């Protein structure tokens, strides 16, 4: 099958490679990547055979909206656009209506797997009309590690909604792993914390890919000295909590994990003490802390 992909970053580039490994013909476009196959959306539209499929892997917000507006003027009735980034689910109906005015189908697709997806496969959650999903199903199957890793979650918006909740759960799991590590480090009974965590990867109910990543990080840096305490968020955790409030669903773990990320961006006690000393030194003039580097969330 032929597909054009817009966005060849860490996710998009690996997805393109996985498709090629599965025998699909891929035309990749990026404004800056040296690995691009075409130099513009116009060239991509010209080289793709009808009915065309274009997959977007762009930052959510205006970059995605602009690409959709551009494609609406370049593609033809019967073509399909898949939005595979992390857009808010409530944007999807508007995107679908924009393309529908030109007879173009729209599928929203949440994709999870990170930089290891090329080798291990991606969990794929898509939303859209059955007709449009069927047209891109071979591409979805090639991304997924197995049939159970692929789901048509519902109508337009369902794919991104499912991915949003998935990421909210991920926040909670990461927070629990971090708290467990800190507790083990603080106690006087466990001298080799990395060894204990590594043992949990075999047979326990908390074994997971996130635990694997934590153990790997400790193997490479036992004191985690190279990591910043700051943890950013991509937006999906916030949207998950907002939805929990809207639907009156109790979600304390995900909410607390989101708040913990907020707290991680505040200056710690040492920074505050240093700032106070600097203010005193400079006669009370305002001195602001430089932003901490982003952590590996």
């Amino acid at each position: 099958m032929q597909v054009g992909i817009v966005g060849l970053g860490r996710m998009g580039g690996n997805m393109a490679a996985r498709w090629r490994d599965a025998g699909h013909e891929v035309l990749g476009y990026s404004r800056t990547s040296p690995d691009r196959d075409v130099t513009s959306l116009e060239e991509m539209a010209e080289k793709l055979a009808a009915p065309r499929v274009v997959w977007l892997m762009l930052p959510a917000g205006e970059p995605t909206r602009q690409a959709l507006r551009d494609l609406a003027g370049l593609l033809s009735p019967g073509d399909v656009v898949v939005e595979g980034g992390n857009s808010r689910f409530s944007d999807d109906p508007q995107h679908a209506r924009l393309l529908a005015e030109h007879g173009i189908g729209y599928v929203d697709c949440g994709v999870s797997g990170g930089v290891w997806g090329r080798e291990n496969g991606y969990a794929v959650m898509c939303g859209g009309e059955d007709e449009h999903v069927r047209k891109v199903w071979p591409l979805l199957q090639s991304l997924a590690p197995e049939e159970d890793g692929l789901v048509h979650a519902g109508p337009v918006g369902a794919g991104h909604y499912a991915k949003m909740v998935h990421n909210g759960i991920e926040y909670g799991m990461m927070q629990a792993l971090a708290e467990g590590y800190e507790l083990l480090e603080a106690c006087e009974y466990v001298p080799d914390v990395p060894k204990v965590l590594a043992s949990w990867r075999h047979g326990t109910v908390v074994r997971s890919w996130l635990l694997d990543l934590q153990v790997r990080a400790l193997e490479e840096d036992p004191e985690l000295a190279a990591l910043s305490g700051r943890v950013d968020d991509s937006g999906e955790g916030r949207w998950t909590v907002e939805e929990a409030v809207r639907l009156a669903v109790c979600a304390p773990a995900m909410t607390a994990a989101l708040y913990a990320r907020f707290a991680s961006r505040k200056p710690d006690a040492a920074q505050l003490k240093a700032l106070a000393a600097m203010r005193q030194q400079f006669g009370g003039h305002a001195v602001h802390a430089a932003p901490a580097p982003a952590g590996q969330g």
Side-chain angles (χ1 to χ4, degrees):
M1 185 173 180
Q2 194 182 46
V3 59
I5 182 168
V6 182
L8 297 172
R10 290 186 299 173
M11 285 283 286
N14 282 334
M15 289 166 60
R18 186 172 175 86
W19 279 325
R20 289 191 176 103
D21 291 343
H24 298 290
E25 180 185 351
V26 182
L27 293 178
Y29 169 65
S30 167
R31 290 184 301 171
T32 58
S33 174
D35 297 325
R36 64 184 182 180
D37 304 295
V38 295
T39 59
S40 67
L41 291 178
E42 290 82 1
E43 183 183 358
M44 175 179 286
E46 290 174 2
K47 289 189 174 182
L48 289 171
R52 292 169 286 198
V53 174
V54 177
W55 190 298
L56 300 184
M57 288 300 294
L58 297 172
E62 187 55 29
T64 291
R65 287 191 289 269
Q66 184 58 56
L68 289 167
R69 288 192 292 265
D70 292 341
L71 289 171
L74 294 171
L75 300 181
S76 305
D79 295 343
V80 176
V81 174
V82 182
E83 208 285 83
N86 284 328
S87 292
R88 186 181 171 94
F89 67 93
S90 54
D91 291 340
D92 290 315
Q94 180 181 351
H95 296 164
R97 286 192 296 270
L98 169 67
L99 296 177
E101 292 175 358
H102 301 267
I104 303 166
Y106 178 83
V107 174
D108 62 283
C109 196
V111 183
S112 179
V115 296
W116 297 271
R118 177 181 179 179
E119 178 181 354
N120 300 328
Y122 301 87
V124 181
M125 301 146 269
C126 66
E129 297 181 15
D130 290 345
E131 172 192 1
H132 302 146
V133 172
R134 279 197 300 270
K135 289 182 178 180
V136 301
W137 196 253
L139 295 170
L140 305 180
Q141 287 180 309
S142 296
L143 289 178
E146 53 193 28
E147 193 67 29
D148 289 342
L150 166 60
V151 61
H152 182 185
V156 166
H160 281 147
Y161 198 102
K163 179 60 168 21
M164 174 194 72
V165 176
H166 165 280
N167 280 27
I169 295 170
E170 180 184 355
Y171 279 28
M173 293 173 65
M174 292 176 68
Q175 182 66 25
L177 287 171
E179 292 174 5
Y181 166 77
E182 186 173 10
L183 183 59
L184 287 169
E185 278 287 343
C187 83
E188 68 274 29
Y189 294 104
V190 180
D192 192 340
V193 174
K195 186 176 181 180
V196 170
L197 292 175
S199 75
W200 291 355
R201 300 171 66 187
H202 308 283
T204 76
V205 296
V206 298
R207 64 187 185 274
S208 66
W209 183 47
L210 291 174
L211 176 60
D212 292 343
L213 295 178
Q214 184 179 30
V215 170
R216 183 183 304 177
L218 287 167
E219 289 173 347
E220 296 174 357
D221 181 5
E223 302 297 325
L224 299 180
L227 296 183
S228 164
R230 177 188 176 96
V231 185
D232 290 314
D233 66 283
S234 63
E236 290 151 307
R238 301 186 189 210
W239 304 337
T240 303
V241 172
E242 289 172 4
E243 278 296 286
V245 172
R246 183 181 73 87
L247 298 172
V249 172
C250 187
M254 291 188 285
T255 303
L258 176 65
Y259 289 169
R261 292 190 176 212
F262 294 164
S264 76
R265 300 165 213 170
K266 303 289 185 182
D268 61 23
Q271 286 179 298
L272 290 173
K273 184 176 180 180
L275 286 171
M278 291 172 66
R279 290 191 183 100
Q280 185 176 10
Q281 179 181 354
F282 290 101
H285 295 294
V287 179
H288 300 285
Q296 295 186 12

